[in-house]
Amino acid sequence: MLTTTFFIAVTSAALLVALLSWSIAKPAQRVWPPPSGQAGWQFWLVWVLVGILIIGTLYVGIVDYGSRGLDAWHWHVVGGVLLVLGNALAWWGVAALGSRPTTELVGDLATGGPYTG
């Protein structure tokens, strides 16, 4: 099950990279951001792939925990600090933008919070 989940997560990541590369190369036929600014098939495809990647990565990380012999306490401290700081930055950005522009739906230009120049 672990190998299958890992393969599914990596495939999801590869598909996301391919779709985003396609969107850069062919803007008229882009998948992301959604061309209509609405929650069409492009929106759902990208977010389902992101969800699969996140859930698969969490599953593999939890089930495979400790298998590499990196159980020293300092790795827990470093990982915890990075986890808290990364989430704080991400949620600050989401709070500054609001939910609709965060998911690439129609919204106003953000000029405050982490987006100040």
Side-chain angles (χ1 to χ4, degrees), residues 67-115:
S67 69
R68 300 287 176 227
L70 299 173
D71 256 354
W73 67 270
H74 61 279
W75 289 116
H76 294 277
V77 172
V78 170
V81 168
L82 291 175
L83 180 73
V84 168
L85 291 176
N87 270 285
L89 179 62
W91 287 110
W92 182 28
V94 169
L97 283 176
S99 63
R100 290 185 60 78
T102 301
T103 56
E104 276 299 322
L105 297 175
V106 177
D108 297 328
L109 177 64
T111 58
Y115 305 102

Side-chain angles (χ1 to χ4, degrees), residues 9 12 16 44-58:
S12 177
L16 282 167
W44 291 110
L45 175 63
V46 169
W47 282 109
V48 165
L49 290 172
V50 168
I52 291 169
L53 176 59
I54 290 171
I55 291 168
T57 302
L58 286 173

Side-chain angles (χ1 to χ4, degrees), residues 1-6 54-68 71:
M1 180 71 170
L2 184 64
T3 303
T4 303
T5 304
F6 179 77
I54 290 171
I55 291 168
T57 302
L58 286 173
Y59 177 81
V60 170
I62 291 168
V63 172
D64 199 40
Y65 178 77
S67 69
R68 300 287 176 227
D71 256 354

